[in-house]
Amino acid sequence: MKYVHLSIVLVLGLLLGMGATASASRPTSPAATGTFAATTRAFTYQGRLTNGGVPANGTYDFTFILYDASVGGSQAGPIVTRNDVVVTNGLFNVTLDFGNIFVGTQYYLDIAVRPGASTGSYTQLTPRQPLTAAPYASGLVLPLDASTSTSGSAFVVDNNGSGQAAEFRSNSTFATIYASNSGTGGTFRADTGSSGQGSAITGYNYGTDRYAAELELVNSTNPRAALYARTAGNGQAIDAEVNSNTNGDAIFARTTSSSASSYAGIFVGNVSISGNLAKSSGSFKIDHPLDPANKYLYHSFVESPDMKNIYDGVVTLDDNGAAVVTMPAWFDALNQDFRYQLTAIGAPGPNLYIAKEITGTSFTIAGGTAGMKVSWQVTGIRHDAYAKAHRIPVEENKPAAERGSYIHPELYGKPASQGLDRLERPLQPAPQPEGAGQ
């Protein structure tokens, strides 16, 4: 007899059972319409069998073997035998289980057939059939629950093409993917591998009211961070960038806490800024020199409407009551518009004056007495290339979109909703974590 096998379809069980074992249930996403906890690796297989061009009818014995190639290759899993399968008008259905072997490898099904209750030889059907999931399986709304009690992965999705290995969509207010972990390991890990050149995680948001990535530490008593980034190489733990044609911010940080010890940002170590630093005030904070264990000491920055540099020192006048003060070689290249102050030390110096202004790298003090000490101060305005290109405006009108908003609205008796940071980044109510309280 000549058998021909056609129209292969793998149905629902393949996607849901692949690589899964029995597991304890987890909180169900409110977005789902049901639950499914995979308890088997089996899947349903349907085929069509003809005998001499005529759809077969009756009972038949089948053997099924998986290979990793359409011709030749290596066998994967056991040989599965199904005896006395009823075939009606050529159609038959069987349930197959090859064990926990589905980890992203493309497999091909080798099928052999003989009449049912027969002890004769099997007829090999060709070609081998590639295993593909049913088209509708990728759109299932039932959550997949997979777990493992071994050191391996409970669920693996592999992609060697140009598309997505897995794609998830949600039209609800809940997360598309929900992951939880009650142990000490991570809930989610992304790894490019040692030879990878892409990003371990890439997020895009084409909407208008949320973020490409949103992390929240729900346990308010835990001092851990919602986001922890670390690099073991020479790169940055966090690299943030704004496209050149946008007006966004690479990083926006805000604290809504009224606590004086709550900061929008804390940096432990050196900080380098290549552009301008705009601030409402500035100070240093150190352990108090007289009581470092119990107190802090603060000093405010010296402010000026100009990009001003300050230099000072003490000089002893010569026998003629004069002195030449020499500045660094870069002084004149960095500064312009000099201002001077002279103060006699130890005795009055009413006749002290600047005998010669700064020329190049020095200026001359005169009018004092021999051996007199003089405290001097010189200020200059930066005129290096960067300063010329980035002069700080002393006054400017607020842009139209920012008028009526305040950097510190509470100081003017205005509500927090009129704060400039609310205008730039409206506060978003965080969604209730899925499974919370369950």
Side-chain angles (χ1 to χ4, degrees):
M1 290 185 293
K2 180 180 180 182
Y3 296 103
V4 178
H5 175 254
L6 303 170
S7 304
I8 305 304
V9 179
L10 300 183
V11 295
L12 186 63
L14 174 59
L15 181 64
L16 298 181
M18 187 181 300
T21 59
S23 65
S25 62
R26 65 163 176 81
T28 301
S29 167
T33 59
T35 61
F36 180 88
T39 58
T40 177
R41 302 179 185 88
F43 59 91
T44 300
Y45 179 84
Q46 182 183 82
R48 184 169 182 267
L49 184 69
T50 63
N51 183 4
V54 178
N57 286 280
T59 58
Y60 292 85
D61 298 337
F62 291 86
T63 62
F64 301 88
I65 307 175
L66 278 185
Y67 290 92
D68 60 5
S70 60
V71 177
S74 300
Q75 180 179 331
I79 298 176
V80 177
T81 300
R82 294 291 180 262
N83 293 325
D84 297 327
V85 175
V86 176
V87 179
T88 305
N89 292 325
L91 297 178
F92 65 91
N93 289 277
V94 291
T95 300
L96 305 178
D97 189 346
F98 292 97
N100 189 20
I101 63 171
F102 293 101
V103 292
T105 303
Q106 174 64 63
Y107 289 120
Y108 297 83
L109 191 59
D110 187 288
I111 306 172
V113 61
R114 69 182 182 184
S118 172
T119 58
S121 60
Y122 285 87
T123 299
Q124 203 78 18
L125 303 182
T126 57
R128 293 175 182 171
Q129 301 297 316
L131 288 189
T132 56
Y136 60 81
S138 63
L140 291 172
V141 295
L142 301 180
L144 173 64
D145 196 333
S147 66
T148 178
S149 59
T150 68
S151 60
S153 300
F155 186 70
V156 176
V157 179
D158 195 4
N159 177 28
N160 294 318
S162 58
Q164 287 75 29
E167 188 169 343
F168 303 87
R169 297 189 181 98
S170 173
N171 294 321
S172 74
T173 58
F174 291 91
T176 306
I177 300 176
Y178 172 77
S180 65
N181 175 37
S182 58
T184 59
T187 300
F188 179 79
R189 171 176 173 172
D191 191 342
T192 62
S194 59
S195 60
Q197 297 181 359
S199 301
I201 298 177
T202 300
Y204 295 95
N205 179 22
Y206 297 103
T208 59
D209 61 349
R210 298 311 298 182
Y211 307 98
E214 189 170 354
L215 305 173
E216 181 180 0
L217 188 67
V218 180
N219 186 355
S220 61
T221 62
N222 194 325
R224 296 292 186 181
L227 171 64
Y228 174 71
R230 175 178 60 187
T231 177
N234 297 322
Q236 290 76 34
I238 297 178
D239 189 336
E241 181 178 351
V242 175
N243 289 341
S244 59
N245 61 342
T246 64
N247 296 318
D249 304 311
I251 295 178
F252 178 84
R254 168 177 51 205
T255 176
T256 56
S257 172
S258 59
S259 172
S261 60
S262 177
Y263 299 92
I266 296 177
F267 299 89
V268 179
N270 299 329
V271 177
S272 174
I273 300 175
S274 61
N276 180 58
L277 174 65
K279 56 186 178 58
S280 296
S281 65
S283 65
F284 75 65
K285 173 186 176 182
I286 63 172
D287 295 320
H288 199 293
L290 299 182
D291 191 0
N294 301 298
K295 291 184 179 180
Y296 291 115
L297 180 66
Y298 295 85
H299 271 28
S300 178
F301 293 169
V302 176
E303 312 285 354
S304 168
D306 300 311
M307 300 177 76
K308 182 169 289 189
N309 295 319
I310 301 175
Y311 308 88
D312 57 20
V314 175
V315 67
T316 300
L317 304 184
D318 59 19
D319 292 343
N320 297 319
V324 175
V325 179
T326 301
M327 308 301 288
W330 43 259
F331 186 80
D332 188 53
L334 179 63
N335 297 283
Q336 65 181 11
D337 300 336
F338 303 109
R339 304 291 185 269
Y340 309 85
Q341 288 189 14
L342 301 175
T343 303
I345 299 175
N351 297 320
L352 286 174
Y353 66 99
I354 300 297
K356 184 179 180 181
E357 293 191 67
I358 293 175
T359 302
T361 60
S362 65
F363 66 94
T364 302
I365 301 172
T369 58
M372 174 181 285
K373 287 186 176 181
V374 176
S375 173
W376 59 268
Q377 183 182 90
V378 175
T379 63
I381 306 300
R382 285 180 55 183
H383 72 151
D384 56 281
Y386 186 87
K388 289 180 180 179
H390 300 87
R391 287 295 177 196
I392 297 175
V394 178
E395 294 179 290
E396 67 174 354
N397 292 323
K398 291 182 177 180
E402 297 179 9
R403 292 177 186 175
S405 298
Y406 304 82
I407 298 176
H408 298 286
E410 70 281 0
L411 301 181
Y412 301 93
K414 303 296 182 181
S417 59
Q418 288 186 250
L420 185 61
D421 62 330
R422 267 51 169 195
L423 181 65
E424 294 175 343
R425 296 290 190 281
L427 284 175
Q428 300 279 0
Q432 179 72 9
E434 297 177 37
Q438 300 187 34

